[in-house]
Amino acid sequence: MTALLTTDLLDANEALIQSEQLRVLAPMFQRYGGKAAFAGKIVTLKIFEDNSLVRTLLAEPGAGKVLVVDGGGSLRCALLGDQLAELAVKNGWEGVIVYGCIRDSAAINGLPLGVRALNTHPLKTVKKNIGERDIPVTFGGVTLKPGEWLCADEDGVIVSTTPLV
């Protein structure tokens, strides 16, 4: 899927903004990965300081999809590293949004993957296989639901109930 400019999408869809079918996440994310802009259908994951399920999801086919990870905003460990980012690329994921931290940022920056995260942290997670998949998650002032559409670029991240063209 080709990512469109968030500013143009917002300008062209003002009625969707008023009806809250098109929402803008708070500008809280740092940009990582080799893809500055990306878009796709949302797949959600809610975890806390355990990235076991991130690996499970990124091992699945991801063409046209963006993984949204609600890590509770934790700044105590990283939920995505270079190995998982490489797995995402191998399986065709468009991007990953992490409400938490990543690590191996220099390596991730060299991969053709869009990544947004709060920050970096060198510590890996514990592995307990605990978390929830395909549920609504809320952060950045927006609730993101599985099956909705996300578009991210240098100006921000927007979410829509329908594909934007």
Side-chain angles (χ1 to χ4, degrees):
M1 170 177 282
T2 302
L4 304 170
L5 294 176
T6 57
T7 53
D8 292 342
L9 289 169
L10 290 169
D11 291 350
N13 294 284
E14 289 185 32
L16 294 178
I17 297 168
Q18 296 300 320
S19 67
E20 297 185 6
Q21 292 176 305
L22 180 59
R23 288 113 47 218
V24 182
L25 268 74
M28 55 202 257
F29 293 103
Q30 304 297 313
R31 190 181 77 183
Y32 303 98
K35 280 173 91 171
F38 59 96
K41 198 171 193 177
I42 295 173
V43 176
T44 63
L45 187 58
K46 186 173 181 70
I47 57 176
F48 189 74
E49 298 180 358
D50 174 2
N51 70 350
S52 306
L53 297 178
V54 175
R55 176 177 298 281
T56 300
L57 268 162
L58 294 178
E60 297 175 5
K65 298 177 186 175
V66 175
L67 177 58
V68 174
V69 179
D70 179 352
S74 174
L75 301 176
R76 301 190 308 192
C77 62
L79 299 174
L80 180 78
D82 61 344
Q83 292 178 5
L84 295 184
E86 288 172 5
L87 184 62
V89 170
K90 176 185 170 192
N91 289 307
W93 288 84
E94 301 296 329
V96 182
I97 304 283
V98 180
Y99 183 49
C101 293
I102 67 164
R103 68 188 215 160
D104 305 313
S105 61
I108 289 172
N109 289 339
L111 295 173
L113 180 69
V115 177
R116 299 292 185 278
L118 295 178
N119 216 318
T120 60
H121 198 293
L123 183 65
K124 67 182 180 178
T125 70
V126 296
K127 308 291 189 257
K128 297 179 185 173
N129 290 310
I130 297 173
E132 297 176 89
R133 177 183 174 162
D134 296 325
I135 63 166
V137 296
T138 302
F139 54 82
V142 171
T143 297
L144 302 95
K145 299 174 185 167
E148 290 187 322
W149 300 86
L150 182 144
C151 181
D153 65 13
E154 296 87 347
D155 290 318
V157 179
I158 62 175
V159 177
S160 174
T161 57
T162 61
L164 297 170
V165 290

PDB file of all heavy atoms in Angstrom, residues 30-57:
ATOM      1  N   GLN A  30       8.781   9.068  18.125  1.00  0.00           N
ATOM      2  CA  GLN A  30      10.012   9.281  17.374  1.00  0.00           C
ATOM      3  C   GLN A  30       9.938   8.417  16.117  1.00  0.00           C
ATOM      4  O   GLN A  30       9.304   7.364  16.122  1.00  0.00           O
ATOM      5  CB  GLN A  30      11.228   8.864  18.202  1.00  0.00           C
ATOM      6  CG  GLN A  30      11.328   9.560  19.551  1.00  0.00           C
ATOM      7  CD  GLN A  30      11.510  11.044  19.410  1.00  0.00           C
ATOM      8  OE1 GLN A  30      12.326  11.516  18.637  1.00  0.00           O
ATOM      9  NE2 GLN A  30      10.720  11.805  20.161  1.00  0.00           N
ATOM     10  N   ARG A  31      10.598   8.849  15.059  1.00  0.00           N
ATOM     11  CA  ARG A  31      10.576   8.115  13.800  1.00  0.00           C
ATOM     12  C   ARG A  31      11.829   7.249  13.674  1.00  0.00           C
ATOM     13  O   ARG A  31      12.946   7.721  13.863  1.00  0.00           O
ATOM     14  CB  ARG A  31      10.499   9.095  12.630  1.00  0.00           C
ATOM     15  CG  ARG A  31      10.225   8.396  11.317  1.00  0.00           C
ATOM     16  CD  ARG A  31      10.186   9.380  10.199  1.00  0.00           C
ATOM     17  NE  ARG A  31      11.568   9.731   9.902  1.00  0.00           N
ATOM     18  CZ  ARG A  31      11.927  10.621   9.008  1.00  0.00           C
ATOM     19  NH1 ARG A  31      11.049  11.287   8.332  1.00  0.00           N
ATOM     20  NH2 ARG A  31      13.197  10.865   8.782  1.00  0.00           N
ATOM     21  N   TYR A  32      11.613   5.976  13.340  1.00  0.00           N
ATOM     22  CA  TYR A  32      12.699   5.032  13.118  1.00  0.00           C
ATOM     23  C   TYR A  32      12.384   4.238  11.854  1.00  0.00           C
ATOM     24  O   TYR A  32      11.293   4.305  11.317  1.00  0.00           O
ATOM     25  CB  TYR A  32      12.846   4.074  14.315  1.00  0.00           C
ATOM     26  CG  TYR A  32      13.070   4.781  15.623  1.00  0.00           C
ATOM     27  CD1 TYR A  32      12.006   4.998  16.498  1.00  0.00           C
ATOM     28  CD2 TYR A  32      14.322   5.251  15.984  1.00  0.00           C
ATOM     29  CE1 TYR A  32      12.200   5.662  17.712  1.00  0.00           C
ATOM     30  CE2 TYR A  32      14.516   5.912  17.188  1.00  0.00           C
ATOM     31  CZ  TYR A  32      13.454   6.119  18.046  1.00  0.00           C
ATOM     32  OH  TYR A  32      13.649   6.776  19.224  1.00  0.00           O
ATOM     33  N   GLY A  33      13.330   3.447  11.418  1.00  0.00           N
ATOM     34  CA  GLY A  33      13.122   2.608  10.240  1.00  0.00           C
ATOM     35  C   GLY A  33      13.433   3.358   8.956  1.00  0.00           C
ATOM     36  O   GLY A  33      13.465   4.581   8.924  1.00  0.00           O
ATOM     37  N   GLY A  34      13.638   2.594   7.903  1.00  0.00           N
ATOM     38  CA  GLY A  34      14.004   3.161   6.615  1.00  0.00           C
ATOM     39  C   GLY A  34      12.839   3.695   5.801  1.00  0.00           C
ATOM     40  O   GLY A  34      13.057   4.335   4.771  1.00  0.00           O
ATOM     41  N   LYS A  35      11.606   3.443   6.222  1.00  0.00           N
ATOM     42  CA  LYS A  35      10.429   3.968   5.530  1.00  0.00           C
ATOM     43  C   LYS A  35       9.884   5.149   6.324  1.00  0.00           C
ATOM     44  O   LYS A  35       9.346   4.981   7.409  1.00  0.00           O
ATOM     45  CB  LYS A  35       9.330   2.898   5.435  1.00  0.00           C
ATOM     46  CG  LYS A  35       9.513   1.894   4.331  1.00  0.00           C
ATOM     47  CD  LYS A  35       8.487   0.786   4.433  1.00  0.00           C
ATOM     48  CE  LYS A  35       7.238   1.063   3.659  1.00  0.00           C
ATOM     49  NZ  LYS A  35       6.360  -0.142   3.619  1.00  0.00           N
ATOM     50  N   ALA A  36      10.023   6.340   5.752  1.00  0.00           N
ATOM     51  CA  ALA A  36       9.533   7.533   6.446  1.00  0.00           C
ATOM     52  C   ALA A  36       8.007   7.565   6.478  1.00  0.00           C
ATOM     53  O   ALA A  36       7.414   8.079   7.415  1.00  0.00           O
ATOM     54  CB  ALA A  36      10.072   8.789   5.768  1.00  0.00           C
ATOM     55  N   ALA A  37       7.381   7.028   5.447  1.00  0.00           N
ATOM     56  CA  ALA A  37       5.920   7.030   5.364  1.00  0.00           C
ATOM     57  C   ALA A  37       5.428   5.608   5.114  1.00  0.00           C
ATOM     58  O   ALA A  37       6.049   4.853   4.357  1.00  0.00           O
ATOM     59  CB  ALA A  37       5.457   7.948   4.238  1.00  0.00           C
ATOM     60  N   PHE A  38       4.316   5.268   5.771  1.00  0.00           N
ATOM     61  CA  PHE A  38       3.733   3.944   5.581  1.00  0.00           C
ATOM     62  C   PHE A  38       2.260   3.988   5.940  1.00  0.00           C
ATOM     63  O   PHE A  38       1.806   4.894   6.634  1.00  0.00           O
ATOM     64  CB  PHE A  38       4.470   2.877   6.396  1.00  0.00           C
ATOM     65  CG  PHE A  38       4.497   3.119   7.886  1.00  0.00           C
ATOM     66  CD1 PHE A  38       3.575   2.517   8.725  1.00  0.00           C
ATOM     67  CD2 PHE A  38       5.464   3.944   8.452  1.00  0.00           C
ATOM     68  CE1 PHE A  38       3.608   2.725  10.097  1.00  0.00           C
ATOM     69  CE2 PHE A  38       5.500   4.162   9.824  1.00  0.00           C
ATOM     70  CZ  PHE A  38       4.568   3.548  10.648  1.00  0.00           C
ATOM     71  N   ALA A  39       1.531   3.011   5.450  1.00  0.00           N
ATOM     72  CA  ALA A  39       0.093   2.948   5.713  1.00  0.00           C
ATOM     73  C   ALA A  39      -0.360   1.502   5.625  1.00  0.00           C
ATOM     74  O   ALA A  39       0.271   0.682   4.950  1.00  0.00           O
ATOM     75  CB  ALA A  39      -0.674   3.793   4.702  1.00  0.00           C
ATOM     76  N   GLY A  40      -1.465   1.196   6.304  1.00  0.00           N
ATOM     77  CA  GLY A  40      -2.006  -0.152   6.223  1.00  0.00           C
ATOM     78  C   GLY A  40      -3.123  -0.380   7.209  1.00  0.00           C
ATOM     79  O   GLY A  40      -3.488   0.494   7.999  1.00  0.00           O
ATOM     80  N   LYS A  41      -3.665  -1.580   7.128  1.00  0.00           N
ATOM     81  CA  LYS A  41      -4.743  -2.019   8.006  1.00  0.00           C
ATOM     82  C   LYS A  41      -4.155  -2.359   9.378  1.00  0.00           C
ATOM     83  O   LYS A  41      -3.127  -3.030   9.476  1.00  0.00           O
ATOM     84  CB  LYS A  41      -5.418  -3.241   7.391  1.00  0.00           C
ATOM     85  CG  LYS A  41      -6.770  -3.549   7.932  1.00  0.00           C
ATOM     86  CD  LYS A  41      -7.422  -4.632   7.092  1.00  0.00           C
ATOM     87  CE  LYS A  41      -8.888  -4.736   7.413  1.00  0.00           C
ATOM     88  NZ  LYS A  41      -9.551  -5.716   6.581  1.00  0.00           N
ATOM     89  N   ILE A  42      -4.820  -1.923  10.427  1.00  0.00           N
ATOM     90  CA  ILE A  42      -4.314  -2.074  11.794  1.00  0.00           C
ATOM     91  C   ILE A  42      -4.552  -3.479  12.347  1.00  0.00           C
ATOM     92  O   ILE A  42      -5.645  -4.023  12.264  1.00  0.00           O
ATOM     93  CB  ILE A  42      -4.981  -1.044  12.725  1.00  0.00           C
ATOM     94  CG1 ILE A  42      -4.568   0.371  12.321  1.00  0.00           C
ATOM     95  CG2 ILE A  42      -4.660  -1.318  14.188  1.00  0.00           C
ATOM     96  CD1 ILE A  42      -5.308   1.466  13.078  1.00  0.00           C
ATOM     97  N   VAL A  43      -3.486  -4.024  12.952  1.00  0.00           N
ATOM     98  CA  VAL A  43      -3.534  -5.235  13.776  1.00  0.00           C
ATOM     99  C   VAL A  43      -3.025  -4.784  15.142  1.00  0.00           C
ATOM    100  O   VAL A  43      -1.991  -4.131  15.225  1.00  0.00           O
ATOM    101  CB  VAL A  43      -2.629  -6.342  13.206  1.00  0.00           C
ATOM    102  CG1 VAL A  43      -2.624  -7.551  14.124  1.00  0.00           C
ATOM    103  CG2 VAL A  43      -3.051  -6.725  11.800  1.00  0.00           C
ATOM    104  N   THR A  44      -3.755  -5.082  16.209  1.00  0.00           N
ATOM    105  CA  THR A  44      -3.354  -4.580  17.526  1.00  0.00           C
ATOM    106  C   THR A  44      -2.849  -5.671  18.457  1.00  0.00           C
ATOM    107  O   THR A  44      -3.203  -6.841  18.324  1.00  0.00           O
ATOM    108  CB  THR A  44      -4.525  -3.865  18.238  1.00  0.00           C
ATOM    109  OG1 THR A  44      -5.570  -4.807  18.473  1.00  0.00           O
ATOM    110  CG2 THR A  44      -5.033  -2.688  17.423  1.00  0.00           C
ATOM    111  N   LEU A  45      -2.044  -5.206  19.398  1.00  0.00           N
ATOM    112  CA  LEU A  45      -1.483  -6.064  20.418  1.00  0.00           C
ATOM    113  C   LEU A  45      -1.334  -5.231  21.691  1.00  0.00           C
ATOM    114  O   LEU A  45      -0.809  -4.120  21.640  1.00  0.00           O
ATOM    115  CB  LEU A  45      -0.118  -6.586  19.965  1.00  0.00           C
ATOM    116  CG  LEU A  45       0.594  -7.623  20.796  1.00  0.00           C
ATOM    117  CD1 LEU A  45      -0.257  -8.866  20.974  1.00  0.00           C
ATOM    118  CD2 LEU A  45       1.907  -7.995  20.134  1.00  0.00           C
ATOM    119  N   LYS A  46      -1.824  -5.738  22.816  1.00  0.00           N
ATOM    120  CA  LYS A  46      -1.678  -5.059  24.101  1.00  0.00           C
ATOM    121  C   LYS A  46      -0.811  -5.935  24.992  1.00  0.00           C
ATOM    122  O   LYS A  46      -1.186  -7.069  25.312  1.00  0.00           O
ATOM    123  CB  LYS A  46      -3.034  -4.816  24.749  1.00  0.00           C
ATOM    124  CG  LYS A  46      -2.960  -3.986  26.028  1.00  0.00           C
ATOM    125  CD  LYS A  46      -4.351  -3.644  26.515  1.00  0.00           C
ATOM    126  CE  LYS A  46      -4.339  -2.792  27.764  1.00  0.00           C
ATOM    127  NZ  LYS A  46      -3.880  -1.433  27.542  1.00  0.00           N
ATOM    128  N   ILE A  47       0.366  -5.391  25.363  1.00  0.00           N
ATOM    129  CA  ILE A  47       1.332  -6.142  26.156  1.00  0.00           C
ATOM    130  C   ILE A  47       1.954  -5.203  27.183  1.00  0.00           C
ATOM    131  O   ILE A  47       1.740  -3.993  27.121  1.00  0.00           O
ATOM    132  CB  ILE A  47       2.439  -6.755  25.273  1.00  0.00           C
ATOM    133  CG1 ILE A  47       3.160  -5.660  24.476  1.00  0.00           C
ATOM    134  CG2 ILE A  47       1.857  -7.800  24.338  1.00  0.00           C
ATOM    135  CD1 ILE A  47       4.314  -6.130  23.641  1.00  0.00           C
ATOM    136  N   PHE A  48       2.736  -5.765  28.092  1.00  0.00           N
ATOM    137  CA  PHE A  48       3.481  -4.924  29.026  1.00  0.00           C
ATOM    138  C   PHE A  48       4.808  -5.588  29.347  1.00  0.00           C
ATOM    139  O   PHE A  48       4.859  -6.648  29.979  1.00  0.00           O
ATOM    140  CB  PHE A  48       2.691  -4.657  30.313  1.00  0.00           C
ATOM    141  CG  PHE A  48       3.345  -3.622  31.182  1.00  0.00           C
ATOM    142  CD1 PHE A  48       3.304  -2.286  30.821  1.00  0.00           C
ATOM    143  CD2 PHE A  48       4.021  -3.982  32.322  1.00  0.00           C
ATOM    144  CE1 PHE A  48       3.924  -1.312  31.592  1.00  0.00           C
ATOM    145  CE2 PHE A  48       4.647  -3.020  33.109  1.00  0.00           C
ATOM    146  CZ  PHE A  48       4.594  -1.688  32.741  1.00  0.00           C
ATOM    147  N   GLU A  49       5.879  -4.966  28.859  1.00  0.00           N
ATOM    148  CA  GLU A  49       7.252  -5.382  29.121  1.00  0.00           C
ATOM    149  C   GLU A  49       7.515  -6.849  28.795  1.00  0.00           C
ATOM    150  O   GLU A  49       8.317  -7.516  29.448  1.00  0.00           O
ATOM    151  CB  GLU A  49       7.643  -5.026  30.567  1.00  0.00           C
ATOM    152  CG  GLU A  49       7.593  -3.524  30.790  1.00  0.00           C
ATOM    153  CD  GLU A  49       7.964  -3.067  32.178  1.00  0.00           C
ATOM    154  OE1 GLU A  49       8.248  -3.912  33.062  1.00  0.00           O
ATOM    155  OE2 GLU A  49       7.977  -1.829  32.394  1.00  0.00           O
ATOM    156  N   ASP A  50       6.836  -7.361  27.781  1.00  0.00           N
ATOM    157  CA  ASP A  50       6.990  -8.735  27.298  1.00  0.00           C
ATOM    158  C   ASP A  50       6.674  -8.728  25.805  1.00  0.00           C
ATOM    159  O   ASP A  50       5.539  -8.481  25.419  1.00  0.00           O
ATOM    160  CB  ASP A  50       6.022  -9.656  28.038  1.00  0.00           C
ATOM    161  CG  ASP A  50       6.002 -11.083  27.494  1.00  0.00           C
ATOM    162  OD1 ASP A  50       6.756 -11.405  26.554  1.00  0.00           O
ATOM    163  OD2 ASP A  50       5.201 -11.888  28.006  1.00  0.00           O
ATOM    164  N   ASN A  51       7.671  -8.969  24.979  1.00  0.00           N
ATOM    165  CA  ASN A  51       7.439  -8.894  23.529  1.00  0.00           C
ATOM    166  C   ASN A  51       7.267 -10.254  22.861  1.00  0.00           C
ATOM    167  O   ASN A  51       7.368 -10.369  21.644  1.00  0.00           O
ATOM    168  CB  ASN A  51       8.546  -8.101  22.841  1.00  0.00           C
ATOM    169  CG  ASN A  51       9.884  -8.817  22.828  1.00  0.00           C
ATOM    170  OD1 ASN A  51      10.072  -9.846  23.489  1.00  0.00           O
ATOM    171  ND2 ASN A  51      10.832  -8.278  22.083  1.00  0.00           N
ATOM    172  N   SER A  52       6.978 -11.285  23.604  1.00  0.00           N
ATOM    173  CA  SER A  52       6.792 -12.623  23.034  1.00  0.00           C
ATOM    174  C   SER A  52       5.748 -12.613  21.918  1.00  0.00           C
ATOM    175  O   SER A  52       5.946 -13.216  20.860  1.00  0.00           O
ATOM    176  CB  SER A  52       6.338 -13.613  24.100  1.00  0.00           C
ATOM    177  OG  SER A  52       7.200 -13.618  25.199  1.00  0.00           O
ATOM    178  N   LEU A  53       4.618 -11.942  22.152  1.00  0.00           N
ATOM    179  CA  LEU A  53       3.549 -11.923  21.157  1.00  0.00           C
ATOM    180  C   LEU A  53       3.873 -11.027  19.971  1.00  0.00           C
ATOM    181  O   LEU A  53       3.303 -11.216  18.890  1.00  0.00           O
ATOM    182  CB  LEU A  53       2.230 -11.517  21.808  1.00  0.00           C
ATOM    183  CG  LEU A  53       1.728 -12.483  22.892  1.00  0.00           C
ATOM    184  CD1 LEU A  53       0.437 -11.973  23.518  1.00  0.00           C
ATOM    185  CD2 LEU A  53       1.542 -13.876  22.336  1.00  0.00           C
ATOM    186  N   VAL A  54       4.798 -10.081  20.139  1.00  0.00           N
ATOM    187  CA  VAL A  54       5.247  -9.273  19.002  1.00  0.00           C
ATOM    188  C   VAL A  54       5.911 -10.204  17.986  1.00  0.00           C
ATOM    189  O   VAL A  54       5.633 -10.140  16.785  1.00  0.00           O
ATOM    190  CB  VAL A  54       6.208  -8.149  19.438  1.00  0.00           C
ATOM    191  CG1 VAL A  54       6.765  -7.406  18.231  1.00  0.00           C
ATOM    192  CG2 VAL A  54       5.522  -7.183  20.391  1.00  0.00           C
ATOM    193  N   ARG A  55       6.770 -11.071  18.467  1.00  0.00           N
ATOM    194  CA  ARG A  55       7.423 -12.048  17.577  1.00  0.00           C
ATOM    195  C   ARG A  55       6.382 -12.928  16.886  1.00  0.00           C
ATOM    196  O   ARG A  55       6.446 -13.158  15.684  1.00  0.00           O
ATOM    197  CB  ARG A  55       8.410 -12.919  18.347  1.00  0.00           C
ATOM    198  CG  ARG A  55       9.049 -14.020  17.473  1.00  0.00           C
ATOM    199  CD  ARG A  55      10.076 -14.838  18.219  1.00  0.00           C
ATOM    200  NE  ARG A  55      11.206 -14.057  18.676  1.00  0.00           N
ATOM    201  CZ  ARG A  55      12.230 -13.683  17.901  1.00  0.00           C
ATOM    202  NH1 ARG A  55      12.245 -14.025  16.628  1.00  0.00           N
ATOM    203  NH2 ARG A  55      13.225 -12.991  18.399  1.00  0.00           N
ATOM    204  N   THR A  56       5.413 -13.419  17.640  1.00  0.00           N
ATOM    205  CA  THR A  56       4.378 -14.287  17.075  1.00  0.00           C
ATOM    206  C   THR A  56       3.638 -13.596  15.936  1.00  0.00           C
ATOM    207  O   THR A  56       3.436 -14.172  14.872  1.00  0.00           O
ATOM    208  CB  THR A  56       3.374 -14.698  18.180  1.00  0.00           C
ATOM    209  OG1 THR A  56       4.093 -15.398  19.202  1.00  0.00           O
ATOM    210  CG2 THR A  56       2.275 -15.586  17.627  1.00  0.00           C
ATOM    211  N   LEU A  57       3.228 -12.354  16.161  1.00  0.00           N
ATOM    212  CA  LEU A  57       2.478 -11.619  15.141  1.00  0.00           C
ATOM    213  C   LEU A  57       3.334 -11.289  13.927  1.00  0.00           C
ATOM    214  O   LEU A  57       2.881 -11.425  12.787  1.00  0.00           O
ATOM    215  CB  LEU A  57       1.904 -10.331  15.721  1.00  0.00           C
ATOM    216  CG  LEU A  57       0.500 -10.481  16.267  1.00  0.00           C
ATOM    217  CD1 LEU A  57       0.146  -9.353  17.187  1.00  0.00           C
ATOM    218  CD2 LEU A  57      -0.475 -10.544  15.123  1.00  0.00           C
TER     219      LEU A  57
END
